[in-house]
Amino acid sequence: MSFAATVLTLSPGMFPGPLSESLAGRALAAGRWTLEARDLRGYAADRGGRVDDTPFGGGAGMVMRPDVVDAALADCADGRPSIYLTPRGRLLNQARVRALAAGPGVVLLCGRYEGVDQRVIEARGLEEVSIGDYVLAGGEPAAIVLLDACVRLLPGVMGAAESAEEESFSDGLLEYPHYTRPAVWQGREVPGVLLSGHHAAIAAWRRAAAERATRERRPDLRPSPVASAPAAP
Ligand code: 6GU
């Protein structure tokens, strides 16, 4: 039983898009997950029927009609979580990605125009998800981001070489920096401890580097250990 993704969109041509390449694309070809992009226009009341209309109360832009969105969601309702991608949603994080990847798949509704009529969001109990504090022209790139994040966690998708064990967020920290050959490049040296072969020292250096990066760049991710504990030796 593979992870099933259905995307409801006004731009089905945006899929699979980058998901046909690289890790996700190989997993798709191998049948570890499935992707179906459905055109929301196919759920308009009649041929040439409207999928959007002007907002009650006035204002700029168009709103996606609840009847059209409802018909599309009804057509793929099978117990998978239904997610509406919108900058008004809760921020996506690795914990939610892990939970979704462990389930049967997702139905993703991509918003366009100014958004979707609020009543169908409530009637269908849609989970509203955002991928960051910036505004995209539509939910499609966010759907691609969400699927990429889920697919790489599916069983058999990541090889040992791409292990998810030590990566950013797996323990609430940003990842440590990486280095490879040459050992000196443009006069810049690789941190000596990484060349030492001393595994415990390397692990300690990486932990400290991860904590420093997190403290400096993302203090929101985790309380800084130095704030409450004595300084490390
Ligand atoms: Cl999910 N959709 C749009 N349109 N913009 C976004 C977003 C989603 N997440 C961040 N910005």
Side-chain angles (χ1 to χ4, degrees):
M1 190 201 68
S2 71
F3 184 89
T6 301
V7 181
L8 304 174
T9 170
L10 291 167
S11 304
M14 290 175 75
F15 296 87
L19 296 171
S20 71
E21 299 272 335
S22 193
L23 197 78
R26 287 194 297 275
L28 192 57
R32 298 192 190 279
W33 69 295
T34 62
L35 174 62
E36 183 190 17
R38 293 199 190 176
D39 193 338
L40 281 162
R41 284 185 192 84
Y43 296 95
D46 46 66
R47 269 178 76 83
R50 306 193 65 104
V51 296
D52 64 313
D53 213 324
T54 53
F56 283 125
M62 301 294 272
V63 178
M64 286 166 69
R65 288 174 54 114
D67 52 348
V68 175
V69 170
D70 185 63
L73 289 165
D75 198 35
C76 39
D78 61 1
R80 285 175 291 165
S82 297
I83 293 176
Y84 168 39
L85 294 155
T86 167
R88 295 190 66 229
R90 288 215 169 83
L91 266 189
L92 184 64
N93 60 28
Q94 192 66 12
R96 188 70 190 114
V97 166
R98 265 187 229 112
L100 290 172
V106 283
V107 176
L108 302 177
L109 172 63
C110 298
R112 283 254 139 184
Y113 313 120
E114 292 312 297
V116 171
D117 188 298
Q118 180 65 25
R119 293 166 296 177
V120 69
I121 297 172
E122 293 168 11
R124 286 275 165 194
L126 300 183
E127 175 183 351
E128 297 180 74
V129 169
S130 165
I131 63 162
D133 294 337
Y134 41 81
V135 179
L136 305 170
E140 288 81 4
I144 290 167
V145 164
L146 184 152
L147 291 173
D148 182 285
C150 289
V151 166
R152 60 189 288 282
L153 299 183
L154 298 177
V157 170
M158 257 194 299
E162 303 135 325
S163 167
E165 283 299 301
E166 290 190 19
E167 68 192 15
S168 289
F169 305 116
S170 63
D171 56 0
L173 291 174
L174 299 183
E175 209 180 7
Y176 52 79
H178 302 277
Y179 300 88
T180 187
R181 279 174 283 279
V184 182
W185 175 74
Q186 292 189 353
R188 296 167 183 266
E189 294 182 4
V190 169
V193 63
L194 300 179
L195 311 176
S196 70
H198 188 330
H199 297 300
I202 291 168
W205 182 90
R206 285 177 168 169
R207 178 77 193 184
E211 286 177 356
R212 176 153 50 92
T214 307
R215 194 166 59 239
E216 290 175 357
R217 301 171 180 190
R218 296 295 306 278
D220 57 302
L221 279 183
R222 183 177 229 258
S224 174
V226 297
S228 52

